[in-house]
Structures are given as C-alpha cells and as structure tokens.
Amino acid sequence: MNFGADSTRRAGVHRARLYSAAQVRELDRRAIEELGIAGYVLMQRAAGAAFEALRMRWPQATRIVVLCGSGNNGGDGYEMACIARAAGFQVDVARVGVLPSSGDAVHAHAAWAQSGGFVSVFDANFVRDVLPQADVIVDGIFGIGLSRAVEGVAADAIAAINARAPKQGALALDLPSGLDADTGAVLGTAVRADISVSFIGRKLGLYVGSGPDHAGRRAYADLGVPSSLTEASPSLAELMCEDEIPIALPRRARSAHKGSHGHVLLIGGDVGMAGAILLAARGAHRSGAGLVSVATRPQHALALTAAHPEAMFHGLDNAAAVDELIRRADVLGLGPGLGTGVWSAGLFDRCVRAGKPLVLDADALSLLARASATRLAPGTVLTPHPGEAARLLGTDTARVQGDRIAAARALRARYPGAIVVLKGAGSIVLGEQLAICPYGNPGMGVGGMGDVLTGVICGLLAQRLDAEAATATGVLVHALAGDRAAAQDGERGLLPSDLVAQLQAVVNP
Ligand SMILES: NC(=O)C1=CN([C@@H]2O[C@H](COP(=O)(O)OP(=O)(O)OC[C@H]3O[C@@H](n4cnc5c(N)ncnc54)[C@H](O)[C@@H]3O)[C@@H](O)[C@H]2O)[C@H](O)CC1
Ligand SMILES: [K+]
C-alpha cells in the first residue's frame, strides 16, 4: 500500500496532513476532473488497498463479511468483495439500507452481481447465521458522507460489528461508520474497528475526539493521487511524527557546559502540593535543561532538595521574593501545585509581567481564567486539559471535547499569539501550525503527568527552541515517553515517575 506524500515539509521532516471531509471531497473532485482519474478507478484502488491491509493484518483469514451502505463507502465494500472473492475468499455481502442508486457505487454493486455475488439484507437472521462465520467483518456502511446521528438498521449493524467475537476482526473502510470525519465525534454510535484504512487524505476525525478509540490502527492509501495535488490543497492539521525529535534536538557541542542549556525557574507547590512542582522539575531536567530552580513554599524546600538534589529549591514567604529568581532565569514555568490563594496570585502577576518565555499550567490557568483582562505575551504556552480549557472559555468540558480543534482555536483567539496545547487523546498543539500528536495512551490519565509535561516544555524552551517548536516537541516527547513506559509494564498503574524515567532515551534518539 502506498503511503502517500500528503505531508508538509517542516524543518526537513515529513508531517502527514489531516483533512476534513469537505477537503477530501475536493481532492477527489480534482483527481477526477484535473488528473482524469475516474471515480470508479479510485473506488477500485480503495478496495484494493483495503484488501491488502486486510491480508497483512489477518494473514490467516479466508472468509469475510462485507456490510455495505447505500453510498460510495458501500461501493468500496462491493468492490472489495469482488477482489476478495477473486482471491479465493469466501465472501458474504449484506446491504445495510438500500442498494446504491447513483454514483460509482452502482458500478461496484453491478460488478459484484455480475461476478455471481449475492447481496443479503442485513437483519437478525444474517446476524445469527452468517456474521459469526466471518474471520473479518468489513465496515462499508458510512464514510465521509455521514451527515446525521446513526439510527435504525445502520445502528443495528454497528452494534453487531462491535459485538463480534474476540477472534473476529473488523476493518473500517475510510472511517469507522458513525464517526464524524472532521471532529472525531461519535454520531449516535460508531464502529470500534481493529484497523481503519483512510483513502486519498487522512481524516482529522481519526486522530481527535473519539477517533483514537474507534479507529484502531490507522492505515492510509493515497490511491495514486499525486503529492503535487495533495501538497497544493488545503488541509486542517498536521500529524506529528517521531522523526521530528532528532531534528528539533540536535547533538550537543562537545564544548557545551551547564550554562549552554538554559535555566528554568518552576514556580508552584503551595502548602501540601509539593509533589507537582517536583515532577515538573524532573521533567525539565530530563528534557535537557542545564539549570533548574524551583520557587515554592518554605516548608517544602528541604524535602524537595532531598528528593531531587539536582535542582535548586527556594522557599518563598511572599511573592515579591520571586523577582530576583525570575531575573536569573531564562524560562518560567508556573502552575504545578500553585494553588489560587494570595501567595499564588502574587506569583502569577509577577510571572505574567516578567516578559520571559512562560508556560502556564494547572492552577495558573485557573488564575488566568479569573483574571479576565490579562494580556499574555506572544509565545506564552498554555497547557490546559479539557476541563481547564472549558473554564478558560466559559463553557463546559463536553463542548470542548465535542470539537477539540474549535476549542483550541477559540483559546488562541482569546489569547492572541499564545501557543495552545489541548491535552487528551490526540493532543492538539496550535500555534502558527495546527499539529496533532498521535502518540500517548490512557495510562497517562493520571495526576502528575501534566506537571511533567510543563517541565519538559520549559526544558526545551531553555534549550532555545522557539515557543511553538518547544511545545510541539515537548508534547511529542512526553507522549512517546508515556508509550515507552506503558510498553514496559502496561497502562494501568503507570506513574508520572515511570514516564520521567523514559524521557532521557526519547530526547536522545
Ligand atoms: N470518488 C470518490 O468520491 C470516492 C469516494 N470513496 C468512498 O466514498 C465515501 C463517501 O461516499 P458518499 O456516497 O459521499 O457517502 P457515504 O457512503 O459515506 O454515506 C452513504 C450515504 O448515507 C447517507 N447518510 C448519511 N448519514 C446517514 C445516517 N446517519 N443514516 C442513514 N443514512 C445516512 C447519505 O445520504 C450518504 O450519501 C468515502 O468515505 C469513501 O469510502 C472512495 O473510497 C474513493 C473515491
Ligand atoms: K466505513
């Protein structure tokens, strides 16, 4: 399967592009009208690519069931049935809804019928008698044409796919049916696939919202649409990739010394919340900062020094004492365990006015939400999770999660020039570019992981990456370290310190 060159070259790295349904339709149209690639040929290529992906994922499979909707996604399914049968597979096809009545899918259905193929009606009998025989179920119900919440027989078909036996696989054509191609929202119900094969352009919805939960492994086939076309067409976002790290973090000069790698000042750790600022300090050190200072409550300074002697811990009785520490630092990270009381608010005001590279996280974001008139210096990094984003936007978490891209854009509109991280499955980094991180895992849904991220981003800023590069690279490094930690002993029980332990390997690829 050809992995397309639908990527953008950033600093020598190929970042795949992510598209909306409308943008892919435009690509389809231009491929057909400008390059003369017939829509039906694209459909045949889509079916061929999907069949190749099926063979690679399930090499022992000999029997498949293909569930076809009434549109061109169903057309892909009929074509795939023809190819599988010609390859010697036992193939059962059922229509979910009506047969195609227009478009290329009509030809595909005709090809299946002319090859002697039969089309069953998807119903309870089919679920009882035929579906359980399949090694793999192919989801050709809906693709980018999904336009409303799924119900009726389509919902029944999706439920049947999701109730498949553990030994059965599910391959989604273009998108898991029921998933919104643009936002990754589930419209009523959606297939949980083992693999989704996306055609011509990778759909953004596979990487954000509920996409990561439904897509399974995300494969892609360009169907022979040349990069000259995809590169010239608008896309919604870029997909971060591991290859960026050695480009963003070049080898160090042999003559380097601790002053060469910047000085981070982390501020937080209000009474009883010292752990958060300690995790941030470790994150900053493990991402390569030369010097790390921590401004915290006096009663924590001694214990923290014992826990992480590599950093310098300063106990502050009052906020004014932080001015000298800010003067000596290159980068400020504010928020982990900061609290929102008088001491905390005084530190917030001083950091926001300091005019130094600044990362605001956790309680600093709560203080920012309260300080409605605050203007942030361009390049300030905000790292909210969905709940913090909702507070900053004056909305609720469900709205943020319903369209994460829109929420990130709203945050950047509210704080012009800020670099926004919207954390969660498919973390979003919005600066000049909109980038999605496809790495990370549910084991990272543990308190403290965000504190580490704050430290990592500060550490990269201290090494003179620009705000957007430091933020994107920091999110990428953090997620990859989380995946390495999960690969060791699993996701459940994963701790921030396990992720910290993987950082050094990730930042030295
Ligand atoms: N040349 C091309 O365009 C290629 C397209 N490919 C495949 O085509 C689909 C998009 O096909 P389309 O016909 O536009 O829509 P769908 O098949 O995704 O949807 C079918 C049909 O269903 C109706 N519908 C929408 N929502 C619902 C709902 N909730 N309940 C019931 N019915 C619904 C609506 O009328 C749709 O038209 C694309 O994803 C690719 O798989 C080829 O792969 C490449 C060439
Ligand atoms: K589908």
Side-chain angles (χ1 to χ4, degrees):
M1 188 182 349
N2 324 330
F3 280 83
D6 64 332
S7 59
T8 46
R9 186 174 291 281
R10 265 170 59 82
V13 174
H14 274 276
R15 272 183 167 180
R17 288 186 166 190
L18 303 176
Y19 298 87
S20 67
Q23 288 169 340
V24 172
R25 283 199 191 288
E26 178 58 10
L27 281 171
D28 279 352
R29 183 195 65 76
R30 293 188 62 192
I32 294 166
E33 290 176 14
E34 295 173 23
L35 304 180
I37 308 174
Y40 185 51
V41 169
L42 288 172
M43 187 167 281
Q44 291 172 309
R45 290 178 186 174
F51 184 63
E52 188 188 322
L54 186 147
R55 296 292 292 268
M56 284 197 285
R57 179 73 170 68
W58 294 283
Q60 309 307 320
T62 58
R63 181 166 183 176
I64 64 172
V65 158
V66 186
L67 301 182
C68 296
S70 61
N72 284 334
N73 195 244
D76 294 348
Y78 288 112
E79 278 301 321
M80 190 172 168
C82 294
I83 294 170
R85 193 166 132 138
F89 274 59
Q90 189 170 343
V91 183
D92 295 283
V93 175
R95 63 180 169 82
V96 178
V98 297
L99 287 173
S101 55
S102 65
D104 300 320
V106 171
H107 303 307
H109 168 251
W112 172 245
Q114 279 147 26
S115 73
F118 177 73
V119 180
S120 306
V121 174
F122 178 86
D123 58 17
N125 296 330
F126 189 85
V127 173
R128 184 190 62 231
D129 303 336
V130 183
L131 210 59
Q133 315 301 322
D135 299 316
V136 181
I137 303 166
V138 176
D139 161 22
I141 306 167
F142 299 124
I144 57 174
L146 183 73
S147 57
R148 57 189 184 278
V150 177
E151 56 192 13
V153 67
D156 297 341
I158 290 170
I161 296 173
N162 290 342
R164 65 187 179 277
K167 65 178 174 41
Q168 294 182 294
L171 180 147
L173 294 172
D174 211 19
L175 282 160
S177 295
L179 194 74
D180 183 299
D182 297 359
T183 65
V186 169
L187 301 188
T189 182
V191 167
R192 288 181 182 276
D194 297 297
I195 177 171
S196 296
V197 187
S198 196
F199 307 125
I200 300 182
R202 289 174 177 82
K203 281 69 182 177
L204 175 63
L206 292 169
Y207 296 86
V208 294
S210 299
D213 263 328
H214 286 264
R217 192 171 76 77
R218 293 161 293 208
Y220 163 72
D222 63 18
L223 307 191
V225 177
S227 57
S228 57
L229 182 60
T230 46
E231 298 267 345
S233 302
S235 60
L236 274 186
E238 303 176 333
L239 199 59
M240 293 185 202
C241 66
E242 256 181 285
D243 304 354
E244 302 179 26
I245 295 174
I247 304 251
L249 301 176
R251 275 176 56 78
R252 293 186 157 182
R254 298 304 88 198
S255 57
H257 52 81
K258 68 183 174 183
S260 314
H261 309 308
H263 184 174
V264 172
L265 173 61
L266 294 161
I267 302 159
D270 197 357
V271 177
M273 296 193 278
I277 203 68
L278 172 61
L279 286 168
R282 285 178 173 160
H285 257 139
R286 285 296 184 193
S287 64
L291 290 167
V292 175
S293 295
V294 173
T296 185
R297 284 287 191 183
Q299 54 267 52
H300 295 324
L302 207 58
L304 288 173
T305 304
H308 189 68
E310 295 84 359
M312 295 166 282
F313 293 90
H314 305 267
L316 301 183
D317 281 317
N318 60 69
V322 79
D323 291 344
E324 177 52 22
L325 297 175
I326 287 175
R327 193 187 58 73
R328 294 206 296 259
D330 301 312
V331 175
L332 309 179
L334 177 75
L338 177 67
T340 54
V342 171
W343 177 79
S344 319
L347 291 166
F348 173 84
D349 290 342
R350 281 170 169 73
C351 287
V352 166
R353 286 201 307 267
K356 295 222 168 165
L358 173 64
V359 178
L360 296 179
D361 181 35
D363 290 330
L365 296 172
S366 304
L367 291 167
L368 179 63
R370 265 178 17 194
S372 53
T374 298
R375 290 189 60 74
L376 299 175
T380 301
V381 180
L382 307 178
T383 60
H385 59 53
E388 290 159 341
R391 253 198 316 280
L392 285 165
L393 292 171
T395 182
D396 58 58
T397 304
R399 287 283 302 272
V400 168
Q401 290 296 78
D403 191 340
R404 289 168 48 86
I405 299 280
R409 291 194 188 286
L411 279 170
R412 185 158 156 94
R414 185 176 186 127
Y415 301 103
I419 310 293
V420 174
V421 180
L422 181 53
K423 295 186 283 196
S427 286
I428 295 165
V429 175
L430 176 60
E432 290 306 310
Q433 306 289 334
L434 178 69
I436 309 290
C437 178
Y439 307 104
N441 63 79
M444 296 167 65
V446 169
M449 293 290 183
D451 302 321
V452 177
L453 175 62
T454 297
V456 168
I457 296 172
C458 287
L460 298 177
L461 282 167
Q463 296 170 79
R464 294 184 186 76
L465 274 69
D466 68 58
E468 184 162 355
T471 305
T473 308
V475 166
L476 182 59
V477 160
H478 182 263
L480 286 167
D483 285 345
R484 284 172 66 101
Q488 295 249 3
D489 299 312
E491 296 175 357
R492 190 171 284 108
L494 184 64
L495 296 179
S497 49
D498 302 324
L499 186 150
V500 168
Q502 298 294 334
L503 283 170
Q504 188 177 6
V506 175
V507 297
N508 292 286

